Each structure stands twice: as C-alpha cells, then as structure tokens.
Amino acid sequence: MTGKRHHYVPRFLQAGFNSRPGERARRAWLYRKGGATPLEVTLKHISVEVSFYRYQASGVDISADEAITRAEGQRLAPLVQKLRTGNPTSILDPAALAELFAHIYARTKALWEIGRLQAPLMFERLATFTRDPQAIQSVLPRLLETQRPIVTRLLASRYPDRDVGELLSEWGEQIQGVASEKLSADIGRISDALLGWALRALQVSKVQSMQELSKNPALAKRFHGCTFRLLEFDGARLVQGDTPVVFYRVGGFTPMLAKDESFDYAFLPVTPMRVVVACVRDIPHSWEELRDASIACSHEHFIAAARYPELATLATTIGHSFPAVTDADIEKLFAEAVALTSAADWLGTDAGAMVERLAHECLWPPQDGGPSSSGEEK
C-alpha cells in the first residue's frame, strides 16, 4: 500500500470478493450508502483515501506504510489466502488470527471517524465548561501545576525578562478571580486552531498505533483468548463491509466496541461462502444474519462478488448499526479529559511538542504584554 493512496480495507482482503476471477484486474460490485446504483469497480478504487496513514512533523513525512506493508506481505495476506482455500476443519493458529482481526479492525476508517466526529463536539463542551467559574477554578490551577515543564518553557520564551516561577504564582492567584466571559472569548478566539490540533493529534495516534501493531503482533490483545472457527456455508452470498470486522454482543451487532466492552463473537468474511469467527461465548446461527450485519455495520459502502437481487434493498440499511456520538459519550469523554489533566506527562513527548507549537501560533504576541502583576492585560 505504498504511495499516497492508502486502502483502509486492504486489497488482499477485498480480493475474496472478486467479481471476475479469470481476469487480471480484480473487481467487485460496490454498493454505496444512499441507494446509488451499484457499480462494478476495480479494487484499487475501493476503500481508499489519500494519506490516510501519514502525517508531517517538522517537514518530514511520518508514515505507517512500510510497517503495514511488511506485516501484511509477510504474515496476514498469506494467512487470508489459506483461510480462503484451506480445509475449514483444519487447526487454526489463534495468535495469527488474533493479529489479523486486530490489524483489520485498527485499519478501519470508521473506527477513526468516530474520533473525528467527537472532536468538534468536545470543543463545544469545552465552551460550556469555560462559562462555569467554579469548574475553571477547580481545574486550571491543577493543570498549571501538573504541566509545569511545558508551561514553564512557553512562558520563558514569551517573557524572557520575568521570573517564571513568580509569574506562575501570579497566574494561580489570578485564576481565582478569572472572568468566565473572558476565558470563553479566549477559547473561542483559538478554537479553530485547537480543533485542528486535536484532529492532527488523532492522525498521529492512528499512524503510531498502526506502526506499533504492525511491528508487534502481541499487542492484539482484544482477541486473545478467543476460539477461532472457519465456517463455510454452501450457496451463501456473504458480502464485505467497509468495517470488515463486526462484533456481536448483548444488544446486537456493532462495528466497534468500547475499550473494555465484552463480546460474544466477532466475524470477518473472507469469501462469499467463508467467514472466520472469533468466538468467546457464542457462534453465528446463519450466514444471512452475518450478511445483514456486515451491511448494517458498514459506514459508507460494502462490496459483493455478484449483483445479488436482494442487495439493492439491503443496501438501504448501510450505517443503521453504526454507533452515533451521544451527549452521554461526550460527557464521559470530557470528564475523562478533565481528570487526565492531573496526570503528569499525560501528553507525551510528541503531543507536548505539538501543544508548544500550537501555543506559539495562538497565544497573544509578546509585544501585547500578556498578564500584568495586577491581573489585567497591559
């Protein structure tokens, strides 16, 4: 997957749904959300996005391309080929399959799309927070103290003629009398830059996660302890969604789980008639329920090896089981973020450096003075 166009569902996985097995160019029938007419499309144009696993740091490209390509070429693509052609009753390697499930799950665009949708909602919640003087007074002093190294470097560069320790003490006192309207205005002034930083931080996290998982299969802990089964259904018409790994747990099917949420089984279709299942407490009852779940848990599209008549109607259910971001989710995330401010070094080296760059771009220019000893701006 080297280059700028990155497949978030790898082509070696899509190849199991090739609609023209005898031809060199592999294709599949693409069904999109919204009821568009299905099209037979080459796999190189399906589930692809520019620079999905890349970001820039100090003018240098940082990419997960190489790590992903090596892991898939050496381990995962050969494993999927065996799942397509091997004996369904053969012994399966649990460690290898745990890596396959975790790798495909982590690559999925929809998983990271949730984070992209959450970011602006989190900043709306931050704006609400800044209008609560008591909340501000309880959190900001702790934030200044726990992130003292970063804050000290920022202040030293902004105020080279001031004693930073003294300045921090002044700020701590001034926070007790801060006007929530002023802080809200300050947050609003830099909110676009803050949101851009948050989305960049998400991109960095995605690239680093894929690098680490691709290099160290032992990190695939979510699927450790599963019993794996390769099921073959004669005459089945399975499809593959753009969220290829789907979970079943109490409440139904879902394309993603909370960090510690349990599940009964997860499945990954590898051909129209074969599916590999990671079992914890249960197994699927029919191929039809798996096909319908693959479609409902898709985010934007799914593919099929043929234009089956029933798929036109089923395509209207794309996204029905894709989790929405709720107010409760935002409240939980915001509470966790506030609690995290009391943990030293929670930003990490890379994120800390990004915060410093952001501050230099967004804070008031040095000539504007900043806070004075009286608590007013000069």
Side-chain angles (χ1 to χ4, degrees), residues 145-209:
E145 182 58 34
T146 56
Q147 306 310 319
R148 182 176 284 266
I150 290 177
V151 176
T152 297
R153 288 195 297 272
L154 289 173
L155 292 179
S157 63
R158 287 279 163 177
Y159 308 104
D161 299 328
R162 294 291 305 272
D163 180 279
V164 173
E166 181 182 300
L167 191 57
L168 277 173
S169 297
E170 291 176 5
W171 277 21
E173 295 173 1
Q174 292 165 22
I175 285 170
Q176 300 306 313
V178 69
S180 59
E181 294 81 5
K182 180 183 183 307
L183 186 57
S184 293
D186 288 342
I187 292 294
R189 180 168 59 86
I190 62 173
S191 59
D192 287 345
L194 286 170
L195 178 57
W197 171 79
L199 294 175
R200 176 175 167 77
L202 182 68
Q203 180 70 6
V204 171
S205 176
K206 174 173 59 178
V207 171
Q208 292 180 345
S209 296

Side-chain angles (χ1 to χ4, degrees), residues 36-98:
T37 302
L39 298 173
E40 195 176 21
V41 181
T42 56
L43 300 188
K44 69 178 181 179
H45 296 307
I46 299 175
S47 298
V48 65
E49 189 165 306
V50 174
S51 296
F52 190 64
Y53 301 108
R54 177 182 291 118
Y55 68 92
Q56 273 205 342
S58 301
V60 177
D61 276 345
I62 309 296
S63 175
D65 289 7
E66 185 176 342
I68 292 173
T69 300
R70 184 180 299 112
E72 293 180 349
Q74 293 178 355
R75 301 189 301 273
L76 301 181
L79 172 61
V80 168
Q81 184 58 28
K82 290 179 182 177
L83 294 172
R84 291 195 184 109
T85 59
N87 185 345
T89 60
S90 62
I91 297 175
L92 303 173
D93 181 351
L97 288 168

Side-chain angles (χ1 to χ4, degrees), residues 35 40 47 69 74 101 115 125 153 178 191 205 227 229 272 289-290 304 308 310 339 366-367 374-375:
E40 195 176 21
S47 298
T69 300
Q74 293 178 355
F101 271 73
R125 181 64 182 85
R153 288 195 297 272
V178 69
S191 59
S205 176
T227 300
R229 299 182 62 177
E289 70 175 348
L290 299 185
Y308 308 127
E310 68 272 21
Q367 61 268 27
S374 65

